[in-house]
Amino acid sequence: EKASSLGIDCFRGSNTDVLDRYYRCAKQFDMKTIVRITADCPIIDPTIVDNVIKQFHSGDYDYATNTIVRTYPVGTDIEIFSFQSLERSWEEAKLSSEREHVTPFLRERKSKFKIKNVENGENTSHLRWTLDMKEDLILIREIVSKVKKRPILMNDVLELFSKEPELISINEHLAKSRGTKI
């Protein structure tokens, strides 16, 4: 209601069938390409986003991401897919595990889709600035308070970590354990 009162286009759908929600939203707004950045990636680097978009368009792909073979830090995740591949996933995905998230059907049916994984020149996948756990929030607050420029790019965070490597220890254990949810 608030979005509508402000003249902002809004779509609401299923809480449990996220694939259905994405499909119906994309269909309602006549989207041809969907760029998916999740809310748990608050320090998303627009240069990474632009690179994955460029790669997506460079080869007529159905789906492009930087997460299948992870070489980027967790928290710099980007997915791009065509409406046609979303629609095919929506039509064919039957398992609840394929519907509770948007792209498992796409990712697990590589023979049905033309997929591109975009890799970083240097493997930084051991780093994490996503927001899932209490420790993640602590680290993100540190990054945001110490890096003054906006937007904050991956290289800015890497530079901060090279100057203050102790920051990495705030949440590095979460790659191996579940941590404390916020």
Side-chain angles (χ1 to χ4, degrees), residues 19-20 23-24 85-93 99:
L19 178 59
D20 182 70
Y23 170 73
R24 292 183 189 283
S85 61
L86 176 63
E87 185 169 52
R88 185 171 182 188
S89 297
W90 179 80
E91 290 170 348
E92 296 181 23
R99 302 198 68 90

Side-chain angles (χ1 to χ4, degrees), residues 105-136:
F105 187 86
L106 268 165
R107 296 168 70 95
E108 295 166 10
R109 305 275 186 321
K110 291 179 176 74
S111 63
K112 293 186 176 210
F113 300 100
K114 188 173 178 186
I115 296 174
K116 172 70 174 176
N117 186 73
V118 179
E119 294 187 25
N120 192 14
E122 175 187 350
N123 187 347
T124 53
S125 63
H126 62 286
L127 299 172
R128 172 187 174 96
W129 52 82
T130 190
L131 182 53
D132 291 322
M133 305 292 177
K134 180 180 176 183
E135 295 91 335
D136 296 328

Side-chain angles (χ1 to χ4, degrees), residues 143-155:
I143 293 169
V144 170
S145 73
K146 292 175 183 283
V147 178
K148 299 301 181 191
K149 70 182 268 289
R150 301 294 185 263
I152 298 172
L153 306 180
M154 179 179 72
N155 286 335

Side-chain angles (χ1 to χ4, degrees), residues 156-175:
D156 300 324
V157 179
L158 296 176
E159 182 179 330
L160 174 63
F161 286 174
S162 73
K163 291 177 183 172
E164 299 184 41
E166 67 279 4
L167 292 174
I168 297 169
S169 66
I170 293 172
N171 70 350
E172 71 182 341
H173 66 283
L174 295 176

Side-chain angles (χ1 to χ4, degrees), residues 3-178:
S4 182
S5 73
L6 295 171
I8 299 169
D9 289 334
C10 181
F11 179 87
R12 293 180 60 183
S14 172
N15 286 332
T16 56
D17 189 341
V18 181
L19 178 59
D20 182 70
R21 186 169 70 226
Y22 262 72
Y23 170 73
R24 292 183 189 283
C25 179
K27 188 169 183 170
Q28 178 175 317
F29 292 108
D30 195 31
M31 296 178 189
K32 305 293 182 236
T33 303
I34 296 91
V35 176
R36 181 171 187 246
I37 301 168
T38 59
D40 58 359
C41 295
I43 306 178
I44 191 71
D45 181 332
T47 63
I48 296 171
V49 174
D50 289 347
N51 183 36
V52 177
I53 290 171
K54 180 181 173 186
Q55 295 296 320
F56 174 79
H57 289 298
S58 73
D60 195 33
Y61 291 101
D62 298 308
Y63 174 71
T65 185
N66 64 345
T67 64
I68 294 174
V69 175
R70 185 174 288 281
T71 57
Y72 284 91
V74 177
T76 61
D77 307 1
I78 175 77
E79 295 179 297
I80 302 163
F81 42 93
S82 66
F83 177 79
Q84 293 84 2
S85 61
L86 176 63
E87 185 169 52
R88 185 171 182 188
S89 297
W90 179 80
E91 290 170 348
E92 296 181 23
K94 303 299 179 214
L95 302 174
S96 62
S97 61
E98 296 171 334
R99 302 198 68 90
E100 68 181 318
H101 298 289
V102 182
T103 58
F105 187 86
L106 268 165
R107 296 168 70 95
E108 295 166 10
R109 305 275 186 321
K110 291 179 176 74
S111 63
K112 293 186 176 210
F113 300 100
K114 188 173 178 186
I115 296 174
K116 172 70 174 176
N117 186 73
V118 179
E119 294 187 25
N120 192 14
E122 175 187 350
N123 187 347
T124 53
S125 63
H126 62 286
L127 299 172
R128 172 187 174 96
W129 52 82
T130 190
L131 182 53
D132 291 322
M133 305 292 177
K134 180 180 176 183
E135 295 91 335
D136 296 328
L137 179 59
I138 292 166
L139 176 62
I140 288 169
R141 285 179 171 162
E142 288 289 322
I143 293 169
V144 170
S145 73
K146 292 175 183 283
V147 178
K148 299 301 181 191
K149 70 182 268 289
R150 301 294 185 263
I152 298 172
L153 306 180
M154 179 179 72
N155 286 335
D156 300 324
V157 179
L158 296 176
E159 182 179 330
L160 174 63
F161 286 174
S162 73
K163 291 177 183 172
E164 299 184 41
E166 67 279 4
L167 292 174
I168 297 169
S169 66
I170 293 172
N171 70 350
E172 71 182 341
H173 66 283
L174 295 176
K176 297 176 185 154
S177 70
R178 296 201 45 108

